Amino acid sequence: MSEHVVSAGPRVAVSSLTKTFPGTVALRDVDLEIRAGEIHALVGGNGSGKSTLIKILSGVYQGDPGGVVRIGDVVVDAESMTPEVARGAGVHVVHQDLGIFLDLSVAENMALGSEYDRHKVGAIDWRALNQRTRDLIKRFEIDARPSTLLRELSQGARTQVAIARALQLQGEDPGGLLILDEPTASLPEHEVSLLLDQLRRYASNGQAILYVSHRLDEIIAISDKVSALRDGVLVGTFDTSDLDENGLIQLILGKSLETTTLEKRPPGNVVLGADRVAVGPLREVSFDIREGEVVGIAGLLGSGRSELLRCIFGDIPARRGSLRLDGREFRPREAKDAIRAGIALVPENRVQEAAFLDHPIADNIAIPAISRYWRRGRISRRDIDRAGAAGMKKFLVKATNERAHLATLSGGNQQKVVLARWLSLRPRLLLLDEPTQGVDVGARSEIYQLIRRATTDGAAALVVASDFEELAQVCDRVLVLRRGELACELTGDDVNAHKITQMTHRIGDTE
C-alpha cells in the first residue's frame, strides 16, 4: 500500500448513480468517494460497470436522472455530465491506449494536449513550447528531451508523457481527479515498478487518483482504498491493508477462483520447427513446438516476441532461416497461406487488429471461414447465426445473443470471441500475443482453459505474455529472448516467475 497523507474530506463524491442501456442496467445506485492524496482502486470483472463509471466521470456518458456527481467545488446532476463539465472540474483520463503520437516529439505531444505557444503574429513559438515542455519533464521526472520523438521512448516513459500531458494545466496545486485505466497493461515488469513509484509521488502531492487495473498485485501494492463493482452494483469500499489477492478475487467474482487442473497430454509430434530464423531484431532463433504443448515466449518490449509470431503467420518476411510445419518446408507469403495451413494468430492489439466492433458476434466468429456459409450464391444469415450461438456456448462468451455487436461486450468477452473465431477451425498451431491483456481474473482462467482444451485435442500453442507469473502458470516450457537471440529455454522447475525474470533481464551469472 502507498504511504502518503490523505485528506479528511472527499475530493470526489458520486451518489445514487445509475446508468441504463437498452436491455441492461450497467450501474445501479452507486455511491463512491475519493479523497485528495488517495490512490483509489476500482476493481471488477469485465462487464461489471467500471468503464461506464469512468465514462460518466469524464462526461462521455450521462447518468440516469437522480444521480449526483461532485468533483471539488463542481456539483452537477449525473444526467448533465458532459466532457466540458468534466474538464472544468479537473477530470483527466489516461487510457490503456495512450492517444500519443509516436512520430511527434514530446513537446508536440504536450502541445496537442493544450495548445501551441504562439508569437503575436500567430507563428508557433518553439522556444516557449520547448521551455514549457522542459518544465513539465522536470516536474513529472520524465527521462527525455523536448525534441525526443515518442517512438524513441520506452513504453513506461510514453505513459509518463501521457499523464504529464493530461495534468499539464494543473499547476503546482493538483486538483480534480486523475483516472488511470489499465496504465500498466503493456508495460514490462521493471517499468511497472517505476510508474507505480511515480504515481505514489503524485498522490503525496495531493493528487486524487482513480486506478483501474486487472493486475491484483498492483492494486495491493499501490492503493489506499479499493471499491469493487459486480454486475453494476458497488459491492463495497475497503481499506487495501485489510485485503489480499484472494480477498480481491472474492470481491470481483463473488466467490473464490476455482483452481481447475488443466488437462495435459504428453507432447506428440513436432508441429512447427524454426531453424536460424532472423526477423525484426532477432538475428538467429531455432526451436520447435510439439502437439499438446503450450510454449511461452518471454522477453522485454522490443525483443522480437511479436515479430516472431507475425513471421510464422506470414505477416512479416524472415530475412533468413526456415520454418517447417508438420515436417514440411513452410514459407508463408501472406496470412492466408498460414490460415490455410492451420495456423491462427490472436494479435496483441485486439481492437485495432482482430475485432470488428460494429459487427455482430456471429459475424466475427464466421469471418475466416465465410465460404462455408454460401448457399445458392448468397450468404446464409441463418447458418451464421446458428454457428455464432453454438460458438458462444462452447467458448463461454457472455452476451445477450449472437446478434449483439462486439462493441457492446466487455474486453474479456471480446477476446473470447476472437479465440472462438480461430478455435472453431481446429488449428494446428495457435499464436497468442498477450491473450489476456486487459482481461479480468475470471475471464483469464477461462481463456487458458480454452487454449489448453485445444492443445489436449492435438494443437500446439505459442504464447507471448509480459506477465511472467502467467507464463509460469500456463506454460510447459518458456523460451527467453534477449538481445536478438534465444537466450535460453526453461523447463521443469525452472518455469517460474523468478527464473523467467532473472533470465529476461540477465540478473546474476546464471547461464
Side-chain angles (χ1 to χ4, degrees):
M1 185 183 75
S2 52
E3 296 180 5
H4 41 260
V5 177
V6 176
S7 70
R11 167 75 60 77
V12 178
V14 172
S15 58
S16 304
L17 183 61
T18 296
K19 177 63 179 176
T20 56
F21 295 100
T24 185
V25 179
L27 292 173
R28 189 189 303 274
D29 204 25
V30 170
D31 295 328
L32 180 68
E33 292 185 350
I34 305 169
R35 288 167 166 72
E38 178 176 272
I39 300 178
H40 194 118
L42 182 65
V43 301
N46 293 115
S48 63
K50 302 189 303 298
S51 295
T52 302
L53 177 57
I54 289 172
K55 287 177 179 177
I56 292 174
L57 289 173
S58 58
V60 176
Y61 289 166
Q62 289 71 51
D64 291 354
V68 177
V69 177
R70 179 171 69 77
I71 303 165
D73 296 329
V74 177
V75 181
V76 62
D77 292 336
E79 60 189 299
S80 300
M81 281 297 292
T82 65
E84 292 74 23
V85 169
R87 277 198 301 270
V91 177
H92 306 282
V93 185
V94 176
H95 296 281
Q96 180 180 332
D97 180 357
L98 299 174
I100 55 177
F101 298 87
L102 296 182
D103 293 318
L104 297 182
S105 68
V106 175
E108 289 168 317
N109 272 273
M110 293 298 182
L112 291 172
S114 55
E115 59 183 16
Y116 281 89
D117 297 79
R118 295 186 179 276
H119 294 290
K120 290 181 180 179
V121 295
I124 295 173
D125 187 343
W126 289 104
R127 179 178 294 181
L129 175 58
N130 286 332
Q131 183 56 54
R132 177 160 66 89
T133 302
R134 275 191 289 272
D135 293 341
L136 289 167
I137 285 171
K138 181 179 178 181
R139 175 179 157 200
F140 290 95
E141 302 177 14
I142 303 169
D143 185 14
R145 299 183 306 277
S147 60
T148 305
L149 295 181
L150 267 287
R151 165 173 318 285
E152 299 170 7
L153 297 180
S154 69
Q155 191 65 30
R158 294 174 189 175
T159 304
Q160 287 179 285
V161 169
I163 293 172
R165 184 179 64 181
L167 299 179
Q168 62 182 307
L169 300 180
Q170 275 190 340
E172 295 299 326
D173 183 21
L177 174 67
L178 173 61
I179 301 174
L180 297 170
D181 189 4
E182 300 285 354
T184 64
S186 59
L187 297 188
E189 188 174 350
H190 68 289
E191 291 191 14
V192 170
S193 298
L194 294 174
L195 180 61
L196 297 187
D197 287 342
Q198 191 85 328
L199 296 180
R200 292 185 185 99
R201 288 194 286 274
Y202 298 161
S204 68
N205 290 329
Q207 181 67 59
I209 298 175
L210 182 62
Y211 189 88
V212 180
S213 177
H214 289 304
R215 294 185 171 182
L216 304 187
D217 56 335
E218 288 178 15
I219 298 294
I220 296 293
I222 196 174
S223 66
D224 303 292
K225 297 273 190 180
V226 178
S227 290
L229 289 171
R230 192 187 316 137
D231 297 326
V233 176
L234 183 70
V235 178
T237 297
F238 307 87
D239 290 328
T240 308
S241 56
D242 294 335
L243 297 169
D244 57 15
E245 289 195 23
N246 288 331
L248 283 175
I249 291 171
Q250 287 268 8
L251 292 176
I252 293 167
L253 300 181
K255 59 181 180 180
S256 298
L257 186 64
E258 298 176 10
T259 28
T260 307
T261 303
L262 299 176
E263 183 184 352
K264 298 182 182 180
R265 56 171 281 174
N269 297 325
V270 173
V271 175
L272 179 82
D275 184 31
R276 299 179 181 179
V277 170
V279 61
L282 296 173
R283 294 190 294 272
E284 191 172 285
V285 172
S286 300
F287 66 92
D288 59 36
I289 179 170
R290 295 174 176 271
E291 295 171 338
E293 281 192 309
V294 177
V295 175
I297 300 180
L300 300 179
L301 201 69
S303 63
R305 304 171 305 175
S306 297
E307 289 90 339
L308 180 58
L309 296 192
R310 289 187 173 279
C311 175
I312 297 169
F313 195 62
D315 193 33
I316 301 175
R319 296 191 301 276
R320 61 180 177 273
S322 62
L323 298 172
R324 297 186 70 81
L325 186 67
D326 287 323
R328 297 181 178 180
E329 185 179 20
F330 179 58
R331 291 182 176 273
R333 291 185 295 275
E334 51 188 337
K336 69 180 181 181
D337 296 335
I339 294 171
R340 287 170 180 161
I343 298 176
L345 171 68
V346 176
E348 179 180 10
N349 194 322
R350 171 180 65 242
V351 172
Q352 292 185 10
E353 299 179 336
F356 299 90
L357 295 177
D358 56 349
H359 286 262
I361 294 169
D363 292 12
N364 271 272
I365 293 174
I367 279 170
I370 197 70
S371 59
R372 292 181 179 179
Y373 303 100
W374 280 99
R375 303 288 185 272
R376 297 177 182 175
R378 59 187 298 180
I379 291 175
S380 170
R381 179 78 254 172
R382 178 184 296 178
D383 288 351
I384 287 177
D385 287 345
R386 186 181 296 126
M392 285 178 60
K393 182 177 181 180
K394 182 176 181 179
F395 299 109
L396 312 175
V397 177
K398 299 178 181 68
T400 51
N401 56 55
E402 69 279 359
R403 298 303 303 276
H405 280 204
L406 199 65
T408 64
L409 272 61
S410 66
N413 281 299
Q414 288 179 3
Q415 189 73 329
K416 284 188 277 187
V417 169
V418 174
L419 274 170
R421 172 190 302 163
W422 296 114
L423 293 177
S424 62
L425 300 179
R426 299 179 64 86
R428 286 288 289 151
L429 177 63
L430 267 172
L431 307 174
L432 304 154
D433 198 348
E434 303 286 3
T436 62
Q437 183 172 282
V439 170
D440 73 67
V441 62
R444 190 179 307 150
S445 175
E446 291 175 343
I447 285 170
Y448 276 113
Q449 286 180 46
L450 294 174
I451 293 167
R452 186 57 81 172
R453 186 192 300 169
T455 59
T456 300
D457 289 341
L462 201 54
V463 180
V464 167
S466 299
D467 187 334
F468 295 162
E469 288 281 0
E470 187 170 296
L471 284 181
Q473 289 171 11
V474 304
C475 295
D476 303 300
R477 298 184 282 132
V478 174
L479 310 176
V480 179
L481 302 180
R482 191 177 65 241
R483 295 179 181 174
E485 298 177 346
L486 177 56
C488 65
E489 175 184 326
L490 301 177
T491 60
D493 292 339
D494 282 339
V495 181
N496 62 73
H498 175 74
K499 190 70 172 181
I500 297 171
T501 302
Q502 187 181 51
M503 300 311 298
T504 300
H505 294 274
R506 191 65 172 87
I507 301 169
D509 187 15
T510 55
E511 292 183 305

